[in-house]
Amino acid sequence: MADVRYDVLVIGAGPAGIAAAISAARAGARVMLLDMQAEPGGQIWRGQWCTRSDHAAKVWMDMLEQVPVECCFGARLVAVPDPHAVLVDCADGARTLRFARAVIATGARELHLPFPGWSLPGVFGAGGLQALVKNGWPVAGKRVLVAGSGPLLLAVADSLRNAGAHVLAIAEQASHLAQARFAPALLQAPRKLGQALGYGMRLRGIPRYANAWVERADGVGRVHRVTVNIADRHRVFDVDCLAVGYGLVPNLEVAAAFGCDLRDGAVRVDARQTTSVAHVYCAGEGTGIGGVDQALAQGEIAGYAAAGHSELAGAAPARRRAAQRFGAALARTFALRPQLRTLAADDTVLCRCEDVPYGAARACATQREAKLHTRLGMGHCQGRVCGAACGFLFDWNAPASVRLPLAPIALGHLDFSTRTTDDAVLQPRPHLPTRH
Ligand SMILES: Cc1cc2nc3c(=O)[nH]c(=O)nc-3n(C[C@H](O)[C@H](O)[C@H](O)COP(=O)(O)OP(=O)(O)OC[C@H]3O[C@@H](n4cnc5c(N)ncnc54)[C@H](O)[C@@H]3O)c2cc1C
């Protein structure tokens, strides 16, 4: 087992990773698909492995079952000890995995911006609350306000409503005019248009405000009231929960650990999805936020390229171009307004792991200085939340390098002294997770 070596390692089993694994396997490569979650699906298809209630999820997951892909779920990549090996943390210890080429498909996370009261219990990231609900967290009968920016708010409101929550309103910071200008992009993407009309139908009766953003959340022990600025008027909502998110930012840690070049907060890739590291490819939200169609098209291109058969990518480049145009229109429409930079007070906590207030960070010139002087970004999440917030609030560039391990890992998991060579190498599960 010590020589286990895959032709293609795919890191992340969301839409981009699933498409990459299928393409690489179809091109004849020996493929390993890895994800820290227990099942494939990523963010958008969370829970779909068993239900397959979403048409696209069903199509891609059925295809995944039909190709010879080896898999490891519940396995988080935590370090890149050499260019052709990764260290993976599993429930029973850390293991090394060797490969010739890698496709990074590690997706995105939400952008959270601080405002007074944002750390009260009952205040959730919008996508975070949706993920909890998809995993069975009960919200039936709860009064929830959905706020922030971007089309994810509609998906979140829809999931909450489906689960029996009382969605009070959706507060979108973008203006009516900006959203109206988005219409031509929607008309050119019939599937997205259908999705938007579907949300419109299912969410009818729920008030939707434009030019609206949360100014503060108040409550004793948990959130009870949320003050929303709606076109410069203040309106207070009595709530049980607030779901708030300001769009997505790429997960860059794995790409940075491989030493890939980053540009404008995303991994720089060429037409074949190759990064600046010749044997490493990147697909999906890591290359810039573009949605599921972009992730699938890029995944296909990257999978074939990593397997040495770019010519098999067929129509995927054309689909990628269309998805990129749509992604660019999304970015223009939901660009964040400058007022959101001014919501936090000096004593509003900014780095929740290390309890660093906004005022202390504001006194620093760079993220590195803030780290050295205040410990901002040095806690459990390693700056995954506050780092992106500082990027928006202060225009700070995120550090291009990362500190290893990428996530906290039990010291015992790193103790290789008692293991045989076989033990120290990841034993892949040849099968996908069982469906119940
Ligand atoms: C919280 C959230 C909710 C969303 N909900 C919706 C929605 O309802 N509708 C919609 O249209 N879009 C939604 N999106 C956007 C959606 O994620 C994208 O449009 C698209 O699915 C991205 O696909 P992807 O494959 O690039 O990334 P993802 O689907 O994010 O998949 C990335 C995968 O990489 C894995 N991963 C990351 N780091 C590691 C590591 N170190 N080791 C091992 N595995 C790792 C993750 O576990 C994940 O499974 C959501 C995004 C977020 C962040």
Side-chain angles (χ1 to χ4, degrees):
M1 283 305 282
D3 288 322
V4 167
R5 188 183 161 111
Y6 294 92
D7 297 322
V8 177
L9 166 69
V10 179
I11 307 146
I18 290 174
I22 293 171
S23 311
R26 281 184 176 162
R30 185 178 179 197
V31 180
M32 159 61 89
L33 176 62
L34 182 82
D35 201 296
M36 61 187 174
Q37 301 294 334
E39 294 172 354
Q43 298 290 358
I44 182 171
W45 295 336
R46 186 184 289 274
Q48 286 289 324
W49 181 247
C50 295
T51 64
R52 312 250 169 134
S53 54
D54 177 280
H55 175 70
K58 175 167 167 39
V59 168
W60 285 93
M61 288 178 176
D62 287 354
M63 280 197 282
L64 182 63
E65 281 178 322
Q66 286 156 18
V67 290
V69 169
E70 290 170 66
C71 299
C72 251
F73 290 93
R76 184 197 281 263
L77 189 157
V78 289
V80 182
D82 79 55
H84 292 279
V86 292
L87 188 71
V88 172
D89 191 29
C90 309
D92 58 346
R95 303 283 191 277
T96 303
L97 185 57
R98 300 181 196 288
F99 55 89
R101 287 173 296 279
V103 178
I104 301 172
T106 49
R109 58 175 171 267
E110 271 186 291
L111 174 62
H112 300 289
L113 297 177
F115 53 86
W118 77 298
S119 54
L120 278 171
V123 179
F124 296 86
L129 183 57
Q130 184 197 41
L132 284 173
V133 168
K134 283 183 181 175
N135 287 335
W137 198 72
V139 285
K142 292 211 161 80
R143 298 164 302 168
V144 190
L145 179 74
V146 177
S149 197
L152 181 59
L153 300 187
L154 302 183
V156 172
D158 194 36
S159 302
L160 293 170
R161 191 198 52 88
N162 266 335
H166 175 32
V167 180
L168 299 171
I170 302 170
E172 163 62 61
Q173 62 87 38
S175 66
H176 282 299
L177 183 62
Q179 292 181 69
R181 286 189 180 140
F182 187 50
L186 262 184
L187 291 173
Q188 282 171 21
R191 225 173 53 79
K192 301 280 183 198
L193 179 64
Q195 226 175 28
L197 292 173
Y199 286 137
M201 286 286 289
R202 293 193 297 277
L203 300 176
R204 68 184 179 278
I206 298 176
R208 282 166 64 176
Y209 300 107
N211 285 311
W213 61 93
V214 173
E215 286 195 328
R216 59 180 301 118
D218 293 282
V220 180
R222 58 169 299 111
V223 62
H224 291 131
R225 279 177 315 285
V226 176
T227 307
V228 181
N229 183 322
I230 305 175
D232 291 333
R233 294 190 173 181
H234 295 102
R235 169 138 183 221
V236 177
F237 291 84
D238 290 327
V239 303
D240 298 307
C241 298
L242 167 63
V244 56
Y246 287 97
L248 304 178
V249 286
N251 287 326
L252 300 175
E253 295 77 16
V254 170
F258 271 103
C260 303
D261 279 358
L262 308 179
R263 183 190 291 160
D264 298 331
V267 181
R268 186 168 65 79
V269 289
D270 66 11
R272 298 184 331 139
Q273 303 296 136
T274 319
T275 69
S276 58
V277 179
H279 68 289
V280 179
Y281 302 75
C282 184
E285 305 287 54
T287 67
I289 304 306
V292 64
D293 294 338
Q294 175 175 290
L296 288 167
Q298 289 190 348
E300 257 183 280
I301 295 165
Y304 283 124
H309 285 283
S310 287
E311 76 284 0
L312 297 178
R319 283 191 280 115
R320 178 179 57 186
R321 273 195 299 282
Q324 277 167 342
R325 279 196 297 274
F326 187 78
L330 269 182
R332 276 195 304 277
T333 304
F334 298 103
L336 298 183
R337 59 179 60 230
Q339 287 100 318
L340 299 173
R341 293 200 169 95
T342 61
L343 299 179
D346 274 353
D347 62 352
T348 304
V349 70
L350 172 55
C351 168
R352 296 169 69 156
C353 301
E354 293 290 328
D355 245 345
V356 180
Y358 170 81
R362 190 166 56 90
C364 301
T366 63
Q367 189 145 332
R368 183 173 155 71
E369 188 183 324
K371 219 170 174 176
L372 292 173
H373 287 276
T374 69
R375 290 195 54 80
L376 176 130
M378 293 183 75
H380 187 275
C381 91
Q382 290 286 291
R384 281 178 176 77
V385 178
C386 62
C390 288
F392 174 71
L393 294 172
F394 309 125
D395 278 331
W396 289 349
N397 290 324
S401 60
V402 281
R403 192 178 279 256
L404 302 176
L406 295 178
I409 174 170
L411 277 179
H413 283 194
L414 290 173
D415 178 12
F416 290 107
S417 58
T418 57
R419 298 220 188 118
T420 64
T421 312
D422 281 2
D423 279 348
V425 175
L426 186 70
Q427 310 285 328
R429 265 189 279 164
H431 304 296
L432 288 153
T434 317
R435 291 173 67 189
H436 354 263

